[in-house]
């Protein structure tokens, strides 16, 4: 399975941005879809994930501001980012967790910069 993330860019504090991750290939074994981010000089961290049942989970740092969703018809995962803060600046990656090898597939990342 191949993942392609897009939608990053420059946004002012308090603004909104929507990231998209298109999934191509065999999606039948995907169990969980995730968004991760890596800020400059920091380790990659999990931002949000949604399981096959559609139940979302969020890191405390983005809870109430970000929304993860899936459009199965479009084979796309989204991350709606509202009320962004400078500390949300990072490269954002999507990841699929599968029940078959390879168990993990990463997208290429999309840069989000929050600045005035």
């Amino acid at each position: 399975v191949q993942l392609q993330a897009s939608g990053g860019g420059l946004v002012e504090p308090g603004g909104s941005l929507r990231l998209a991750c298109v999934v191509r290939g065999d999606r039948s074994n995907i169990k969980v879809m995730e968004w991760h981010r890596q800020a400059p000089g920091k380790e990659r961290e999990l931002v949000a994930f949604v399981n096959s049942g559609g139940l979302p989970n969020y890191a405390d740092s983005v809870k109430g501001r970000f929304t993860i969703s899936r459009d199965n018809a479009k084979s796309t995962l989204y991350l709606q980012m509202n009320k962004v803060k400078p500390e949300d600046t990072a490269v954002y990656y999507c990841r699929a967790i599968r029940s078959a090898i390879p168990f993990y597939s990463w997208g290429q990342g999309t840069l989000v910069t929050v600045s005035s």
Side-chain angles (χ1 to χ4, degrees):
V1 64
Q2 295 82 41
L3 309 179
Q4 184 170 1
S6 63
L10 175 64
V11 58
E12 293 185 349
S16 299
L17 205 62
R18 188 177 77 160
L19 307 182
C21 174
V22 177
V23 182
R24 294 186 173 88
D26 184 6
R27 296 176 290 117
S28 62
N29 293 319
I30 293 177
K31 298 304 180 185
V32 179
M33 292 293 300
E34 303 173 328
W35 283 103
H36 295 246
R37 68 184 180 187
Q38 187 166 18
K42 295 187 177 181
E43 294 187 353
R44 193 171 297 188
E45 63 174 350
L46 177 64
V47 175
F49 68 91
V50 59
N51 61 18
S52 56
L55 185 66
N57 285 270
Y58 301 95
D60 287 343
S61 58
V62 305
K63 198 172 295 183
R65 300 188 298 120
F66 292 7
T67 302
I68 188 171
S69 63
R70 302 185 315 184
D71 185 333
N72 291 330
K74 296 182 178 179
S75 300
T76 303
L77 177 75
Y78 298 102
L79 185 69
Q80 178 66 44
M81 304 169 61
N82 297 330
K83 301 178 182 178
V84 296
K85 305 175 181 179
E87 51 262 45
D88 294 323
T89 294
V91 177
Y92 284 71
Y93 301 88
C94 53
R95 184 172 83 159
I97 300 178
R98 305 172 69 242
S99 59
I101 294 173
F103 295 117
Y104 305 105
S105 298
W106 288 94
Q108 84 284 9
T110 184
L111 176 62
V112 173
T113 303
V114 182
S115 175
S116 55

